[in-house]
Amino acid sequence: NIKQNVEDFELDPLKLQVPIFRLKYLKKELEKRKGNPELLENYRTVTVICLMPGYNMKWTNQAVNRSTRNYLSHFRYSHKISIRPQAFTITHFKRLLLNFIISNNISFYAITTNSFKKLLFYLNKILTE
């Protein structure tokens, strides 16, 4: 596909990219044009950068519209994060909340406070809109 070698070629806007880029977990940087655009070795590529704090992971010479499977695997194993949207379940929410409380050494009393309840009510309004 030679279209990425055209001088005015730009990457898709962030809002049209797949969630792993749209949510700013990763960033794509388009490489500069190289010699004859018709030669396979001169096709423009991107560098993909992991934006998670403390990680300097980069994938260079990546195809512009490459599959995201390897990047998703990186997040699953290196960051213990799944990018795939999951349907909301109260069981999963409770598990995540309990993990958050224990991991951050937060008092169980914190979830009975009015400020926490207001936070959940606000989130509920956003999710139902």
Side-chain angles (χ1 to χ4, degrees):
N1 191 349
I2 299 178
K3 74 177 185 175
Q4 70 256 26
N5 287 340
V6 176
E7 194 164 331
D8 61 349
F9 175 80
E10 292 182 10
L11 295 171
D12 288 337
L14 203 55
K15 67 181 178 180
L16 297 179
Q17 293 186 26
V18 294
I20 199 166
F21 294 103
R22 194 172 55 243
L23 297 171
K24 299 182 181 176
Y25 290 121
L26 296 175
K27 168 174 95 166
K28 284 185 189 180
E29 292 180 349
L30 187 63
E31 301 296 329
K32 294 180 181 174
R33 283 179 30 159
K34 305 166 192 164
N36 181 353
E38 295 185 19
L39 298 175
L40 184 60
E41 63 267 15
N42 290 335
Y43 277 21
R44 280 172 97 177
T45 58
V46 293
T47 295
V48 176
I49 303 164
C50 177
L51 298 176
M52 296 299 285
Y55 281 82
N56 294 319
M57 185 70 181
K58 283 186 182 183
W59 295 268
T60 57
N61 297 319
Q62 303 294 298
V64 171
N65 291 315
R66 180 182 178 179
S67 165
T68 58
R69 183 175 38 205
N70 288 339
Y71 310 135
L72 292 171
S73 293
H74 164 74
F75 271 84
R76 195 172 305 115
Y77 296 109
S78 296
H79 304 294
K80 308 293 187 235
I81 295 174
S82 174
I83 307 299
R84 292 183 184 179
Q86 297 177 342
F88 179 86
T89 66
I90 194 67
T91 304
H92 187 65
F93 173 76
K94 286 178 180 179
R95 188 177 305 128
L96 290 172
L97 179 60
L98 185 60
N99 183 48
F100 171 77
I101 290 170
I102 293 169
S103 298
N104 294 289
N105 199 23
I106 296 173
S107 166
F108 285 104
Y109 171 76
I111 63 172
T112 65
T113 63
N114 283 334
S115 61
F116 185 78
K117 290 176 184 177
K118 286 179 184 178
L119 175 68
L120 291 182
F121 284 127
Y122 178 72
L123 180 60
N124 185 43
K125 288 178 191 175
I126 292 172
L127 294 176
T128 57
E129 287 179 352

